[in-house]
Amino acid sequence: MKLADKPAHLRKTLDAVMVKDDLDALVAMSPENFLHLAGVNVVSQRMIRERLAIVIYVKGRDPFLVISSIVANTVRRDSWVRDIVVWTEHQKTPVQTLGEELRSRGLDGGRIGLEMHYLAAAYHDELKGAVPNVNWEDCELLLNRSRMVKTPDEVELMRRNAIAAERAIWAGFMFAREGTTERQIADRMVTSLYEVGGDYSPFMSLAAGQHTREHHAVAGDYRIAAGDTVAVDMVGTFAGYYSDYARMAIVGEPSAVQSKAWRAVVEVQSQVMRDAVPGVTAETLAANANRYTRELGYELDINLVGHSLGIGLHEYPPLTMGCTEPLVEDMTMCIEILIQEPTLGRFHIEDLVAVGDPGGARRLTTYFDTSDLYRITL
């Protein structure tokens, strides 16, 4: 899905931020921010860190890219940025080429925002030597806030990805029967993720019975039995955008204790969704989730009750105590509630929502009816 509305949105919002912060340009090079700012998922950069793909937004001017010749054809085809400078691997470094371009474009002085958290120290030193008169400013928070806001096309892309990922989890639960192993169910879900259009699953945690007590449990050879809960937390990617959802099932019929615990996590999540409106801070949602959970007789098992989701998995802001960032309209974020029932283990739900409606966040993961535990046939 092409994000037709994103280039103009970026130009408008980033120009405004550069004027406000008195910056002449912004330089970013992580795979996540290159996808965000240039529209291309350079997959090989995640494995070959020295293959930097660099995007430069200049105040009041068109952006430009500095990329390896290895990925040049892909970038030319897919990026909305048309000014592309190519460097040849093993002949030049990407930072050497960036320095040359900054000098030739009159950007070898002034204040430039730099994505500090990704750039290796050696490259940072090389960059300072290449353009010694530039005052480099850390723009990590600026870029994080830029990625918080999704365009309508991005929200629709995230919604489609969410439904596809839910279908993959559903396929695994439908496949499962009493006696199926955890690993077999997890494998079926991951295979289904590919079948519905996912790129890959970088994280899959699936556990049954007492194994659910373990955070981020790895699926093993345990065979599910009557009365077991099955908990899954699966991450997928679709064209560089993440999906991240948690679901639970029961083998047969749930006990009263299991039903009560599941109703509790669903109710707490629903209340937090209603609270998630523009202007509310991340830590307010975390505090509310803790209070709602205690009112139902449980304790949250982790200090994170959600996070923004998009090109990154745990994007800014985290919904945790101490984070005072307010929610803004057109955010997409996961709301995640996890408790430990003392005798039975983990009860966990995670859904994607869009922020903006005055009555609360709008749920985008709508394939499952989560009001009750999914029943796995005996």
Side-chain angles (χ1 to χ4, degrees), residues 40-42 67 69-79:
V40 185
N41 184 25
V42 181
I67 59 166
S69 57
I70 300 295
V71 299
N73 287 341
T74 300
V75 173
R76 287 193 180 103
R77 182 193 67 206
D78 293 343
S79 180

Side-chain angles (χ1 to χ4, degrees), residues 182 206-215 217-220 222 344 346:
E182 293 173 336
L206 187 141
Q210 292 299 314
H211 195 197
T212 62
R213 294 181 180 279
E214 183 181 335
H215 284 293
V218 176
Y222 175 75
L344 296 173
R346 177 172 90 242

Side-chain angles (χ1 to χ4, degrees), residues 173 185 206-208 212 224 228-232 247-251 376:
F173 283 159
I185 302 170
L206 187 141
T212 62
I224 64 174
D228 281 344
T229 53
V230 180
V232 60
R247 292 287 183 264
M248 291 191 68
I250 180 75
V251 185
I376 292 175

Side-chain angles (χ1 to χ4, degrees), residues 330-348:
D330 297 323
M331 283 180 64
T332 54
M333 64 183 190
C334 291
I335 295 182
E336 178 175 18
I337 305 299
L338 191 157
I339 65 171
Q340 288 281 357
E341 204 290 322
T343 62
L344 296 173
R346 177 172 90 242
F347 284 78
H348 185 195

